[in-house]
Amino acid sequence: MFYIGSMFRYDRPQAGRYREFHQFGLEVLGASSPLADAEVIAMACEIFHKLGLKDLDLHINSIGDKNCRPAYRQKLIDFFMPKVDQLCDDCKERLLKNPLRILDCKEEGCKAASVGAPVITDYLCEDCNTKFEAVKKYLTALGIDYTVDPKLVRGLDYYTNTAFEIQYPPLGAQSAVCGGGRYDGLVEEMGGPSIPGIGFAIGLERLLLALEMQNLIPAPQSAHKVYIASLGQDAVIEGIKIQHLLRSEGVIAEMDLQDKSLKGQMKQAGKSKADFAIIIGSNELEEKAATVKNMNNGEQKQVPFDNVAEYILSALKNN
Ligand SMILES: [Zn+2]
Ligand SMILES: [Zn+2]
């Protein structure tokens, strides 16, 4: 399944980390094979590939499972305990509750304290190791480059085995444009049956930032604009008919809603950067033909009311 929509951050908002943000996510439920892990990672990579993003790094890790992680966890506690004074306040709290999270703390003190810390991949049980080797083999077969990153952890107990991130380093400290992993314990923890799952999420604001940095955001198509200046109710009626026809063809067609004089309306036509102005005054009503003024070169032409929309559309097409 996939989803796309608004998410709300509980943590304090920061630059580029908004209270409300947008996320695209994909989840595979019910598959425990490492093949599902490789498929999900490959799909994440393919999405970025299709968007044209370059210079992304895929980081992968295995964080074990409930058989092997407790021993590793204890190793980490033993490692950090003598250095507890170097850790930030958050990590001091994490030390006994969630020591894995210390490894991905961005504070300088914690980063320094983490140097030489035991790595999970050295403590994986046979089953976890076999799965991790399989994921790596499948990725290699698919021609997907990756870096094994033992510091990539998901610090919650329901996460198991594969963890991965796709990073765009120029984004700086918050360089991950996609994060994912396996969460075989989550459904059960939430009160459901024991169902394995793996998925990822892409933060759309950060993705847009990366796309912008690589000039991959297409320029919006500029719509054509027409201003209809009219004086008196009879003229307005001819005007709104033309406006309606033009709008139904995707042309931005503006009319005065503030009872401006004809002169004031023409001024507004210039200000609004209209391609054409359509003028309907008393002369035009008599002739049953509007004055169509090309605002770019000043050329004017009388066009019968019934033909104005058609005339403008063909003139815009040839522009
Ligand atoms: Zn820390
Ligand atoms: Zn294990």
Side-chain angles (χ1 to χ4, degrees):
M1 60 157 269
F2 74 92
Y3 61 87
I4 183 164
S6 288
M7 303 284 143
F8 295 88
R9 175 173 276 110
Y10 178 75
D11 302 341
R12 191 166 54 86
Q14 297 167 39
R17 291 168 65 78
Y18 305 110
R19 175 70 71 207
E20 179 183 7
F21 59 102
H22 299 84
Q23 196 168 290
F24 167 79
L26 182 148
E27 317 291 339
V28 173
L29 291 160
S32 57
S33 165
L35 199 51
D37 305 44
E39 191 174 330
V40 162
I41 294 171
M43 184 171 239
C45 294
E46 186 61 18
I47 288 172
F48 293 111
H49 180 69
K50 285 245 163 85
L51 287 169
L53 268 177
K54 292 187 179 70
D55 306 323
L56 299 174
D57 298 329
L58 168 64
H59 289 234
I60 62 169
N61 192 22
S62 172
I63 54 167
D65 60 6
K66 57 180 187 296
N67 299 320
C68 51
R69 199 162 44 210
Y72 172 65
R73 197 186 142 97
Q74 192 54 53
K75 286 274 175 214
L76 270 188
I77 295 173
D78 296 344
F79 175 82
F80 282 114
M81 199 55 101
K83 306 175 166 200
V84 65
D85 291 337
Q86 296 176 43
L87 301 178
C88 72
D89 288 345
D90 284 342
C91 287
K92 280 189 183 110
E93 253 184 67
R94 286 168 181 154
L95 181 55
L96 293 175
K97 278 199 292 198
N98 211 340
L100 273 74
R101 294 277 318 268
I102 302 173
L103 297 175
D104 69 354
C105 180
K106 307 279 186 257
E107 295 290 329
E108 286 307 320
C110 303
K111 274 200 218 164
S114 298
V115 175
V119 294
I120 178 93
T121 34
D122 291 339
Y123 294 86
L124 295 178
C125 65
E126 207 184 319
D127 185 43
C128 289
N129 198 48
T130 308
K131 283 178 174 162
F132 192 39
E133 289 305 315
V135 172
K136 290 192 280 185
K137 218 178 270 174
Y138 295 143
L139 290 177
T140 303
L142 290 168
I144 297 171
D145 289 330
Y146 58 83
T147 305
V148 174
D149 180 354
K151 292 206 160 157
L152 178 63
V153 294
R154 320 224 103 199
L156 294 164
D157 284 341
Y158 51 75
Y159 284 115
T160 53
N161 298 106
T162 307
F164 70 97
E165 258 182 28
I166 297 175
Q167 299 175 359
Y168 181 51
L171 286 175
Q174 304 290 338
S175 65
V177 287
C178 172
R182 185 166 273 289
Y183 47 86
D184 289 352
L186 178 61
V187 178
E188 197 170 15
E189 185 156 309
M190 300 303 286
S194 172
I195 287 179
I198 176 159
F200 65 75
I202 296 174
L204 298 187
E205 279 79 7
R206 220 178 283 173
L207 171 61
L208 284 172
L209 227 64
L211 288 169
E212 209 164 42
M213 288 168 87
Q214 294 194 16
N215 279 321
L216 290 168
I217 297 181
Q221 273 194 335
S222 61
H224 290 295
K225 198 164 188 179
V226 168
Y227 192 96
I228 304 166
S230 54
L231 202 64
Q233 198 174 30
D234 290 343
V236 166
I237 285 170
E238 294 304 327
I240 57 173
K241 288 197 281 189
I242 295 167
Q243 183 185 39
H244 183 73
L245 285 170
L246 288 172
R247 282 182 171 173
S248 67
E249 294 294 327
V251 176
I252 298 172
E254 199 180 325
M255 279 181 79
D256 169 53
L257 299 172
Q258 294 172 310
D259 287 327
K260 283 196 181 104
S261 68
L262 211 48
K263 201 175 151 200
Q265 291 182 53
M266 287 310 288
K267 226 169 152 183
Q268 187 59 36
K271 248 202 242 166
S272 70
K273 299 219 166 22
D275 300 283
F276 285 93
I278 299 167
I279 304 147
I280 309 172
S282 49
N283 287 344
E284 283 81 5
L285 278 175
E286 236 164 70
E287 306 274 333
K288 296 195 184 339
T291 302
V292 177
K293 181 176 180 184
N294 182 324
M295 298 297 280
N296 299 317
N297 60 20
E299 264 174 38
Q300 295 200 23
K301 213 177 148 143
Q302 297 294 122
V303 181
F305 290 146
D306 288 347
N307 301 342
V308 171
E310 204 179 309
Y311 173 82
I312 298 260
L313 288 170
S314 84
L316 288 175
K317 212 175 273 169
N318 299 329
N319 228 352

